[in-house]
Amino acid sequence: MKQFIDPLAGLNDAQREAASCTEGAVLVLAGAGSGKTRVLAHRVANVVHQKHARPWQILAVTFTNKSARELKERVAAITPDGDEVAAGTFHSIFLRMLRREAKAIDYPRDFTVFDMDDSNRLVKMILNEKGEKRFQPRSIRAAISRMKNDMITPEQHENRAKTSDQKFINEVYREYENRLLQYAGMDFDDLLIRPIGLLKNHPSVLAYWRDRWRYIHVDEYQDTNLAQFELIKILGGSRPNLCVVGDDDQSIYGWRGARVENIFRFREAFEGTKVFRLEQNYRSTQPILELAHSVVSRSTMREDKKLWTEKKEGKKPEVIRLSTEADEAGEVVDRIGREVLSGKREYRDYAILYRTNAQSRLFEDALRSRRFPYQVIGSLRFYDRKEIRDALAYFKICINPRDDVSLRRIISEPPRGIGTTTLDHLVEWSRANDTTLTKALINGEVVEGLSSRGANNCRKFGEQIENWRNELKEKKLNEWAKWVLEDSGYIRRLEDGDKFENATRLDNINELISGLAQFEEEADESENGLADFVEQVALATDIDKYDPEADSVRMMTIHSAKGLEFPVVFVTGLEKGLFPFERMGDSDYDPDEERRLFYVAVTRAEKELILTMAWQRRKWGVLSGCAPSPFLKELPREFISESGTSSPYAAKQGSLGFGSSRDRNSKKAVSSFRKTNTSSSQKQETISPDDIPAIHYGDLVRHKVFGDGMVVNAVKYRNDIKVTVEFEDGQHDLLQSKAKLQPLKDF
DNA sequence: CGCATAATACTTTTT
DNA sequence: GTATTATGCG
């Protein structure tokens, strides 16, 4: 039946033209909301329909696993076997290739994927060994990543390095690469770079994959980096069937090595490229598009274009200025509450966007206190939690015993009598004998400098790991995982500890184990089950878990919001320094990228767009004044309506500036709003529990070391209270149960 | 020598 | 709110 469906049904003329061009190199310049993912899906369907290729011979690279899944679903809806399309992120697609072809580049098939945290740990290890404390591991690792994205090897960088800092970084880079090889690990950048070498140096491998993927599609092409462009060129060859879709205005990953120029260079790289433009926007109303255009047209270096829409009518975008960040959260959430409770909209219609993850907390607090359903995308991912990473490290060391980074993570988690001194000896021995830490553990007796007790502890742990590894193939995955975490003492330690958060951690571990059970059920006899699970976790994006069905308010960074759309969008924190984000001493800061980010933010909105800012915001715990974002000042007045407190001076008077319109709308909203507003001047979690004598702002206390001081803040911290006290020599954070503060009589 | 505790420092965006 | 460091105890 399905073969009678027109694969191009439902497309407009421009979309149809692009999707029907199934030969040669095609570049689709598609504006925000112009249906580019649709075009991609229909083009894939069209290729199959015209019998140019079977679905599994078509490669579609997208930005997230979620959009890959969506693309598959779209294709499957109009094409027989459509779900067999090879769709995924660059990283996941080429990881699969690398596993298959591991032999060719002298890697074991079960190499470990080092995610960002692993990479940072590795850099830190190297810095520690070199006794260098001047640099932050993260910044070094970022520099290395930038070089790898630009395909600069340590050897090449050696000649360019002029300053001693650069030379040092190069030294770390070289050692970092050595260690990855030694540990049989690949970082995220390797997943793109290694395939280039693989394909270039192995003609038979290249021939296989070129034949396998006869049609190549790339979504969000503006966010490709040099390595990705190179991969496309190699796979495409001289007569590519290649279609890339992108929008230079939405390039927001320059800091990660993405090159917008790849769009312009595409036409040079592939002769006879056909270019199509999609300029009709199906998402937003005219007023929103006007505002978006006024912002992005100031950007230098862009393809000139202007989106248009048939939705001429629509609400003017609003700008609201609030006194404090808590007021901002209160206003946004109250507005959502009013409209949902009056039946005008559902929770799922709203998205709250922000520049940095840290901003999510106040909105969360406000939503939670009103019991509104919400989901935060990003910030603290499930798989980034300490206990989950610990558990995964246990799994990883069993899959790949050469993975020293994982071993070091868990060697004292729980403590098993192997401390820093013993570890140092082990590391030294393993390096001297050119072997792994796991080997050193088992040979504890031979390692010089170890006490007999230390050696014994090492051997016991080494044998334990070996035992786990052997049982891996014998047991069901979830049972094996549970057993390993129990046998290792990890679970027991969580159970025994009386810490407040341990219960949550245990819950999370259990969730991981049931996730493993589910994975095993769904995975159809995949050969290396656990390895597949672990790598899926490493490459998972938080947006992948985004549930469009749930009726809840969505909160996420603008970066995470790319590719999504919502009826009502709040873009928050529009203050100078925060958005556009500025950081001192950031050399490769690109103001245009912030501008494009703002463009991405506002073009998420279908019907209503609200921009908010606060005159005061807490930064590093200190309340400081904020100036409006330059973006706000640029907005042509005729495109927006403004409200709220108009100056920082008004802010000091409290939040009276916008009381009147509120009173008319809802008394209830006002009262709930006022409540947050008053509690916001203190921290929301300010406590006075029953078991500990209450401590309050302004209390005078005495500390045995710091002397007398005044309490300026008290916040719940784990199952204790963190008290900030202003002493003569400055502020100190103290734990109330530990610091034994003596209350002094008030004057 | 190992480990727990207390204090300090740090906080863009992400495959 | 967390990861690292410093300190002191067993």
Side-chain angles (χ1 to χ4, degrees):
Chain A
M1 245 4 136
K2 276 191 171 153
Q3 61 263 38
F4 293 112
I5 296 178
D6 174 10
L8 302 182
L11 297 183
N12 71 21
D13 289 349
Q15 292 170 333
R16 178 177 284 265
E17 220 184 312
S20 57
C21 186
T22 54
E23 296 296 320
V26 175
L27 170 64
V28 183
L29 294 170
S34 64
K36 54 185 154 112
T37 314
R38 260 174 89 93
V39 171
L40 223 44
H42 284 270
R43 186 180 191 269
V44 170
N46 198 22
V47 168
V48 177
H49 186 77
Q50 296 189 18
K51 304 211 167 27
H52 292 317
R54 303 285 306 136
W56 50 270
Q57 293 173 316
I58 301 174
L59 175 66
V61 194
T62 59
F63 192 70
T64 60
N65 291 308
K66 176 178 176 282
S67 53
R69 233 180 4 251
E70 278 174 8
L71 185 113
K72 257 187 204 185
E73 278 165 18
R74 276 183 188 227
V75 176
I78 49 180
T79 309
D81 302 325
D83 60 345
E84 286 176 13
V85 168
T89 62
F90 269 100
H91 292 83
S92 65
I93 295 274
F94 288 99
L95 171 60
R96 222 181 307 154
M97 177 192 277
L98 284 169
R99 286 240 188 264
R100 252 184 101 142
E101 313 286 355
K103 276 194 311 272
I105 52 168
D106 290 326
Y107 257 86
R109 188 171 279 246
D110 48 9
F111 62 80
T112 302
V113 175
F114 275 41
D115 64 20
M116 208 174 50
D117 186 66
D118 298 324
S119 298
N120 283 333
R121 277 168 181 268
L122 178 51
V123 170
K124 209 164 128 199
M125 265 166 62
I126 296 169
L127 289 180
N128 280 342
E129 285 167 25
K130 291 191 183 291
E132 184 58 69
K133 296 216 154 121
R134 279 181 304 152
F135 302 99
Q136 268 191 299
R138 300 184 59 188
S139 65
I140 300 256
R141 141 72 218 187
I144 292 175
S145 179
R146 234 170 292 136
M147 287 189 271
K148 292 181 82 163
N149 281 324
D150 286 344
M151 298 186 292
I152 299 168
T153 62
E155 288 72 29
Q156 289 167 323
H157 182 243
E158 182 123 47
N159 305 322
R160 302 185 197 193
K162 295 277 184 294
T163 65
S164 66
D165 279 6
Q166 285 173 331
K167 288 198 171 108
F168 177 75
I169 288 175
N170 196 50
E171 232 175 89
V172 179
Y173 182 16
R174 187 185 292 270
E175 184 59 21
Y176 175 84
E177 294 288 280
N178 286 342
R179 293 292 178 90
L180 278 178
L181 205 63
Q182 192 184 339
Y183 301 157
M186 295 222 196
D187 67 11
F188 280 169
D189 305 320
D190 283 324
L191 299 182
L192 306 178
I193 294 165
R194 296 276 171 187
I196 295 175
L198 169 73
L199 294 171
K200 276 193 172 163
N201 301 328
H202 300 83
S204 63
V205 175
L206 177 59
Y208 171 81
W209 289 101
R210 268 193 188 159
D211 182 61
R212 167 71 192 265
W213 290 329
R214 300 182 183 185
Y215 284 78
I216 301 174
H217 299 79
V218 182
D219 197 8
E220 308 283 13
Y221 178 73
Q222 76 281 357
D223 286 323
T224 53
N225 61 29
L226 282 184
Q228 288 161 329
F229 190 29
E230 194 62 30
L231 276 172
I232 295 166
K233 283 193 279 194
I234 295 171
L235 278 174
S238 55
R239 289 182 51 226
N241 292 311
L242 176 61
C243 174
V244 303
V245 179
D247 178 6
D248 53 321
D249 286 339
Q250 294 189 69
S251 159
I252 55 174
Y253 283 101
W255 52 273
R256 204 169 75 179
R259 297 296 175 86
V260 208
E261 310 92 86
N262 285 353
I263 288 189
F264 312 113
R265 289 176 48 209
F266 186 84
R267 282 166 273 198
E268 299 160 20
F270 300 103
E271 225 174 287
T273 294
K274 291 210 182 77
V275 182
F276 297 92
R277 283 164 190 275
L278 303 181
E279 291 182 299
Q280 181 176 5
N281 174 294
Y282 289 93
R283 181 183 295 151
S284 312
T285 61
Q286 185 74 34
I288 292 170
L289 286 184
E290 290 292 350
L291 184 143
H293 186 254
S294 82
V295 167
V296 82
S297 58
R298 287 172 184 254
S299 160
T300 54
M301 281 283 290
R302 65 183 286 267
E303 295 259 338
D304 190 41
K305 56 186 160 314
K306 186 168 181 186
L307 294 175
W308 61 276
T309 177
E310 287 171 352
K311 299 178 194 165
K312 298 294 175 207
E313 298 302 311
K315 213 170 161 187
K316 255 191 187 180
E318 287 176 70
V319 174
I320 309 180
R321 299 182 168 85
L322 288 310
S323 311
T324 66
E325 49 184 346
D327 291 349
E328 182 189 42
E331 166 67 16
V332 167
V333 172
D334 279 343
R335 182 185 278 249
I336 294 172
R338 277 201 302 275
E339 293 178 356
V340 172
L341 296 178
S342 71
K344 189 180 162 199
R345 292 194 186 283
E346 297 178 285
Y347 290 113
R348 63 154 70 87
D349 293 337
Y350 299 90
I352 303 173
L353 306 184
Y354 34 77
R355 178 71 228 292
T356 66
N357 281 308
Q359 286 164 258
S360 71
R361 261 197 49 221
L362 282 143
F363 293 104
E364 273 190 84
D365 289 346
L367 287 159
R368 200 170 29 226
S369 72
R370 292 162 179 75
R371 300 181 192 280
F372 292 171
Y374 67 88
Q375 40 179 321
V376 187
I377 319 284
S379 69
L380 222 187
R381 295 165 59 226
F382 178 72
Y383 295 113
D384 284 338
R385 285 164 217 264
K386 181 187 180 305
E387 61 275 19
I388 301 301
R389 298 204 65 98
D390 287 342
L392 289 171
Y394 274 101
F395 302 166
K396 283 181 181 175
I397 194 63
C398 294
I399 297 165
N400 171 15
R402 291 162 64 175
D403 180 358
D404 283 11
V405 174
S406 291
L407 181 57
R408 289 172 73 136
R409 183 181 178 102
I410 50 157
I411 200 158
S412 286
E413 201 69 53
R416 35 175 74 86
I418 307 173
T420 44
T421 320
T422 307
L423 182 60
D424 285 345
H425 287 302
L426 289 173
V427 170
E428 211 173 295
W429 188 87
S430 69
R431 304 229 60 193
N433 292 279
D434 196 24
T435 182
T436 61
L437 272 182
T438 318
K439 280 264 158 51
L441 276 180
I442 295 170
N443 298 315
E445 278 84 357
V446 197
V447 177
E448 301 106 58
L450 289 196
S451 62
S452 65
R453 200 211 266 163
N456 200 29
N457 289 336
C458 288
R459 191 179 39 75
K460 259 177 29 202
F461 187 40
E463 283 169 357
Q464 234 176 341
I465 293 176
E466 211 149 72
N467 189 22
W468 297 334
R469 195 168 146 75
N470 291 335
E471 290 295 313
L472 181 50
K473 281 160 228 115
E474 311 300 323
K475 289 185 156 76
K476 288 185 77 172
L477 277 189
N478 57 326
E479 285 163 12
W480 177 86
K482 190 156 182 266
W483 168 65
V484 166
L485 294 176
E486 273 166 1
D487 191 45
S488 63
Y490 191 84
I491 285 180
R492 197 168 328 117
R493 187 174 153 86
L494 284 183
E495 284 168 348
D496 291 351
D498 54 353
K499 288 220 181 86
F500 184 71
E501 72 270 18
N502 279 4
T504 335
R505 297 210 153 143
L506 272 175
D507 286 346
N508 288 336
I509 293 282
N510 282 328
E511 201 179 323
L512 180 72
I513 291 173
S514 24
L516 211 42
Q518 198 189 343
F519 174 82
E520 192 167 34
E521 257 171 47
E522 287 168 6
D524 34 326
E525 299 292 316
S526 76
E527 301 230 327
N528 34 357
L530 187 66
D532 282 352
F533 179 78
V534 169
E535 83 181 28
Q536 190 178 303
V537 164
L539 296 182
T541 322
D542 213 56
I543 198 77
D544 297 341
K545 289 189 307 182
Y546 164 68
D547 176 9
E549 299 303 316
D551 183 23
S552 52
V553 177
R554 280 32 181 278
M555 300 165 47
M556 67 198 86
T557 63
I558 301 159
H559 283 90
S560 299
K562 195 164 77 146
L564 303 179
E565 57 188 15
F566 309 90
V568 184
V569 168
F570 295 91
V571 183
T572 64
L574 276 157
E575 293 134 39
K576 188 173 174 343
L578 182 61
F579 193 18
F581 195 89
E582 282 167 31
R583 212 167 64 145
M584 293 210 302
D586 197 350
S587 53
D588 45 31
Y589 171 74
D590 177 6
D592 271 354
E593 182 149 309
E594 295 290 316
R595 180 178 298 281
R596 293 191 295 264
L597 194 57
F598 186 48
Y599 175 76
V600 168
V602 297
T603 50
R604 299 309 95 198
E606 294 168 11
K607 299 191 173 83
E608 289 179 43
L609 172 66
I610 300 101
L611 311 173
T612 64
M613 70 150 295
W615 291 107
Q616 289 186 319
R617 187 174 294 274
R618 206 168 277 276
K619 284 167 193 163
W620 312 288
V622 183
L623 200 63
S624 46
C626 311
S629 165
F631 295 148
L632 287 182
K633 295 189 207 152
E634 284 171 8
L635 299 179
R637 284 295 159 99
E638 67 266 30
F639 294 149
I640 54 171
S641 69
E642 295 177 85
S643 62
T645 52
S646 57
S647 78
Y649 177 73
K652 286 193 192 122
Q653 316 283 310
S655 53
L656 301 171
F658 49 97
S660 54
S661 67
R662 223 171 236 300
D663 288 336
R664 256 180 282 121
N665 286 328
S666 159
K667 283 244 153 44
K668 213 164 148 193
V670 175
S671 66
S672 73
F673 171 76
R674 289 252 164 83
K675 219 167 100 203
T676 14
N677 205 18
T678 44
S679 66
S680 68
S681 56
Q682 298 274 307
K683 271 280 182 61
Q684 193 146 30
E685 292 136 309
T686 305
I687 332 161
S688 52
D690 314 326
D691 48 334
I692 313 174
I695 207 149
H696 296 104
Y697 178 86
D699 284 358
L700 297 172
V701 292
R702 175 166 293 163
H703 186 268
K704 64 178 176 179
V705 180
F706 301 123
D708 295 352
M710 189 180 82
V711 175
V712 284
N713 202 3
V715 181
K716 193 191 263 181
Y717 179 72
R718 307 205 169 164
N719 54 342
D720 206 331
I721 296 176
K722 185 162 85 177
V723 190
T724 309
V725 186
E726 177 83 40
F727 294 102
E728 240 178 69
D729 62 334
Q731 284 194 357
H732 291 268
D733 284 350
L734 308 161
L735 285 179
Q736 181 176 31
S737 67
K738 304 288 151 70
K740 301 200 178 70
L741 293 169
Q742 299 271 321
L744 298 175
K745 261 239 154 79
D746 274 45
F747 290 47

